[in-house]
Amino acid sequence: MEMGKYELFMVILIVSGGYGFVDGLRMDYYFMMNCPFADGIVKNIVNRHLQADPTLAAALVRMHFHDCFVQGCDASVLIDSTKDNTAEKDSPANLSLRGYEIIDEVKEQLEIQCPGVVSCADILALAARDAVFFAGGPVYDIPKGRKDGTRSRIEDTINLPPPTLNSSELIRLFGQRGFTAQEMVALSGAHTLGVARCSSFKHRLSNFDSTHDVDPTLDAQFAKTLSKRCTSDKSEQAFDTTKDTFDNDYYNALQRNTGVLFSDQTLYNNPRTRGIVNAYAFNQAMFFLDFQQAMLKMGLLDVKEGSKGEVRANCRIIN
């Protein structure tokens, strides 16, 4: 079942509280700030890069998540390290992040059009939204007006969920950030895009640890495929069979016990979340609806407003 324009419009209104304020943010923020083309500039640059390299869609969505789960959605993940401070982007959990050059290009163009107006945090949120749509996922609008944070420290990335967590641990961790179990499973569906590195799933394979057998939650034939693929820590395996397309195949993979990460497969193995996985595997429209609502909610995590943040002139450097 395809979502009609009216239903989608209602989703945006319900989640955003209409055209008014959402935690101080507004859908029409950049119109009010005399920068009406901000959305279009982000979309055009993101689409151009993704046409050249579709794998960047997964990268932009992942970067937004890694930003929001650490100190909130404040673009702290974009800040470069200095001799006095090791920033978030140099954490082991963030070393595989990509797409910084896209954000830089967008920021450069926006500074020409509207100097000092559009935050890096908003650019990152908009780029993730456009990446989802470009890859075939749902279209949705997001409120704008986030400010950029002035803190980025490697130790803060301890808040990022590692791929070894089980479903109960994920429910607890996401619950601490205000998400329900269903919203956590919906957000996990972002893994319909992209790949995982061997370093994040090799512990599930017996040939990498002689003290353990193959993870029993892993399909035996798929385990052999992963073992052959996993020739080094940087070897990659797609999360599902359509790695550059935003669809519900990720959930179908979990039903087949071919989830690449333990933290993915555990969503199907736990009776508390299995029904949600089955529902999304059966009904892509339901997944799209729940995903966009969860993404809108995630984009509001600990946003900085007013004097609590700034609009960086360069996304990599604090003003």
Side-chain angles (χ1 to χ4, degrees):
M1 182 184 72
E2 293 295 324
M3 187 182 303
K5 292 182 179 178
Y6 174 75
E7 288 85 349
L8 182 58
F9 178 71
M10 289 306 296
V11 168
I12 293 170
L13 288 183
I14 291 167
V15 178
S16 68
Y19 287 114
F21 293 89
V22 189
D23 291 343
L25 308 185
R26 294 182 63 104
M27 290 292 186
D28 59 351
Y29 181 80
Y30 289 116
F31 282 92
M32 294 177 58
M33 298 294 290
N34 294 318
C35 190
F37 302 115
D39 252 297
I41 289 172
V42 176
K43 188 170 287 154
N44 288 340
I45 293 175
V46 168
N47 284 356
R48 176 163 48 77
H49 279 275
L50 267 54
Q51 284 174 355
D53 183 2
T55 68
L56 285 166
L60 290 172
V61 175
R62 184 166 178 251
M63 191 186 295
H64 180 44
F65 175 83
H66 279 228
D67 178 43
C68 291
F69 253 63
V70 179
Q71 300 296 316
C73 306
D74 63 354
S76 54
V77 74
L78 302 177
I79 296 173
D80 285 341
S81 295
T82 66
K83 59 182 176 62
D84 300 317
N85 178 64
T86 304
E88 292 172 27
K89 65 166 54 173
D90 287 319
S91 162
N94 285 335
L95 291 179
S96 59
L97 291 182
R98 306 162 51 226
Y100 294 111
E101 71 283 355
I102 301 176
I103 308 301
D104 290 338
E105 184 178 341
V106 172
K107 181 61 176 175
E108 186 177 329
Q109 286 299 313
L110 286 169
E111 283 300 302
I112 293 172
Q113 292 285 330
C114 323
V117 173
V118 184
S119 68
C120 301
D122 272 353
I123 293 171
L124 197 47
L126 289 166
R129 177 203 66 180
D130 294 338
V132 168
F133 176 64
F134 180 88
V139 57
Y140 57 97
D141 199 4
I142 59 172
K144 298 97 178 171
R146 298 163 186 77
K147 290 297 195 325
D148 299 323
T150 56
R151 171 192 173 103
S152 182
R153 297 182 182 174
I154 188 173
E155 58 266 27
D156 294 338
T157 60
I158 194 171
N159 295 323
L160 291 169
T164 53
L165 296 185
N166 63 36
S167 185
S168 297
E169 291 168 326
L170 287 169
I171 290 171
R172 178 184 57 78
L173 183 64
F174 277 75
Q176 290 173 348
R177 307 296 282 162
F179 294 99
T180 66
Q182 180 139 356
E183 289 168 336
M184 180 272 289
V185 177
L187 287 172
S188 298
H191 281 172
T192 184
L193 296 174
V195 299
R197 288 191 172 183
C198 178
S199 56
S200 63
F201 61 80
K202 68 180 183 180
H203 63 282
R204 306 181 71 195
L205 309 173
S206 60
N207 57 319
F208 281 91
D209 187 348
S210 58
T211 64
H212 294 90
D213 294 326
V214 172
D215 182 344
T217 67
L218 192 60
D219 175 80
Q221 193 59 45
F222 189 60
K224 293 178 182 178
T225 299
L226 291 183
S227 294
K228 291 177 182 176
R229 183 66 62 98
C230 211
T231 56
S232 76
D233 276 1
K234 291 187 177 181
S235 299
E236 296 177 340
Q237 171 64 40
F239 287 116
D240 65 22
T241 59
T242 56
K243 70 181 181 67
D244 295 328
T245 302
F246 195 97
D247 55 24
N248 64 339
D249 192 48
Y250 162 82
Y251 299 104
N252 295 321
L254 301 188
Q255 290 179 321
R256 297 190 297 268
N257 292 319
T258 57
V260 178
L261 302 180
F262 176 79
S263 57
D264 287 330
Q265 191 58 53
T266 186
L267 302 180
Y268 185 68
N269 299 331
N270 187 330
R272 186 172 174 187
T273 49
R274 182 182 301 142
I276 307 170
V277 171
N278 287 336
Y280 291 159
F282 176 73
N283 190 332
Q284 180 169 279
M286 179 190 294
F287 164 50
F288 277 18
L289 180 62
D290 288 354
F291 178 81
Q292 64 193 29
Q293 291 193 38
M295 282 290 282
L296 281 159
K297 184 173 178 177
M298 188 185 78
L300 299 175
L301 283 177
D302 299 330
V303 295
K304 311 296 187 292
E305 302 170 48
S307 60
K308 294 180 181 178
E310 62 183 19
V311 175
R312 285 183 223 137
N314 180 332
C315 291
R316 296 172 178 264
I317 304 168
I318 296 168
N319 289 347

